[in-house]
Amino acid sequence: DQTEQDILRLAAGKHGRLHIAIECHSCFEWLMPTIDEYREDWPDVEIDLISGFNFEPLPALTRSELDLVITSDPQPLAGIRYIPLFEYEALLCVGKNHPLAKKALIEPQDFSDQTLITYPVESGRLDVFKYFLQPAGVAPVATRTAELTLMIIQLVASGRGVCVLPNWAISDYLAKGYVVARSLGDDGVWAKLYAAVRDENAGQPYMEAFVHTAREISQKTLKGILQVELPEN
């Protein structure tokens, strides 16, 4: 009887595996509420969540070691589909007494004498480098890394450097006055966060439901993001 029920759940798309990797710890702030709500409707889906700092999650996705990767850095990989979740602005964060806090417009050259604090990933995968510094041929005088958003903010607040983080990830710290945020350039630097899945899994009901829940929860809980239309299949 149990086997028959399992087969019926598989046939209906109610049973499956969701091994998820995320590429920034700040994603936990909205991903955990997403998982909590998702579990209520999809209790038979096995969910596992890991950080993507210490390995390459997208190649692992192609090898079926993972089922979904939350990323802002889509790579052209065969068989991988990137489903947009939302659009966000990357903001410069500095201490309240930092000289750059007095500037209304932040230019790439402003980073040339700064220590930039980032998550421990390759610089070429970070928004501030891809869309702002590298096109201008500018590099910070030094970089240092920290895995936790809170630790990055504490280092910035204490004058140890500057950072660039998603607007939604720093809204609470701005409200508490820990740091000051500024847009990058005239129009700001905007990027998208994606759910990367294998083509073969993208149409599974449990996968579609998770992506829908993630998009819905992020719109309800995150400040400053923009909704992105789903591409037509």
Side-chain angles (χ1 to χ4, degrees):
D1 289 343
Q2 183 63 50
T3 301
E4 289 178 352
Q5 291 300 317
D6 289 342
I7 293 173
L8 288 174
R9 285 196 294 270
L10 283 169
K14 287 285 188 179
H15 189 278
R17 187 193 79 166
L18 264 179
H19 287 187
I20 305 169
I22 60 176
E23 293 188 337
C24 68
H25 276 288
S26 53
C27 290
F28 280 109
E29 297 176 14
W30 62 268
L31 193 56
M32 295 312 296
T34 295
I35 291 174
D36 289 342
E37 182 163 321
Y38 179 80
R39 284 186 188 276
E40 294 183 8
D41 295 325
W42 299 83
D44 294 323
V45 175
E46 175 196 342
I47 300 177
D48 191 20
L49 182 62
I50 60 175
S51 168
F53 278 140
N54 299 319
F55 72 106
E56 294 291 337
L58 289 174
L61 180 63
T62 66
R63 298 191 298 268
S64 299
E65 296 170 11
L66 297 169
D67 304 297
L68 186 147
V69 176
I70 304 296
T71 180
S72 61
D73 184 36
Q75 304 294 319
L77 297 172
I80 300 300
R81 183 177 307 183
Y82 295 93
I83 305 170
L85 298 176
F86 56 82
E87 190 171 6
Y88 63 91
E89 184 180 9
L91 295 174
L92 170 70
C93 293
V94 298
K96 292 182 291 185
N97 298 320
H98 194 284
L100 291 181
K102 301 177 182 178
K103 293 196 63 173
L105 177 65
I106 301 299
E107 301 171 307
Q109 290 75 18
D110 292 325
F111 285 80
S112 60
D113 59 351
Q114 300 296 320
T115 295
L116 182 60
I117 305 170
T118 73
Y119 294 116
V121 299
E122 295 177 8
S123 61
R125 295 168 53 193
L126 295 170
D127 297 334
V128 62
F129 284 96
K130 286 192 300 181
Y131 305 124
F132 195 63
L133 296 180
Q134 289 177 350
V138 175
V141 68
T143 60
R144 63 181 297 181
T145 63
E147 290 194 2
L148 298 177
T149 303
L150 177 58
M151 181 58 67
I152 293 176
I153 292 295
Q154 288 179 338
L155 290 170
V156 170
S158 62
R160 307 296 180 84
V162 303
C163 71
V164 175
L165 293 173
N167 55 355
W168 54 268
I170 61 174
S171 57
D172 288 345
Y173 305 117
L174 294 177
K176 294 176 181 177
Y178 293 163
V179 292
V180 174
R182 295 288 182 266
S183 293
L184 300 174
D186 291 319
D187 302 318
V189 170
W190 289 83
K192 294 178 183 177
L193 197 68
Y194 297 87
V197 302
R198 291 188 300 280
D199 285 335
E200 64 202 57
N201 283 350
Q204 292 287 348
Y206 70 88
M207 184 67 75
E208 290 182 336
F210 185 86
V211 172
H212 174 77
T213 302
R215 285 168 55 88
E216 188 176 65
I217 292 297
S218 62
Q219 291 297 322
K220 289 180 180 178
T221 60
L222 302 181
K223 297 179 180 179
I225 66 171
L226 300 177
Q227 189 171 21
V228 180
E229 294 296 326
L230 288 173
E232 295 183 3
N233 293 329

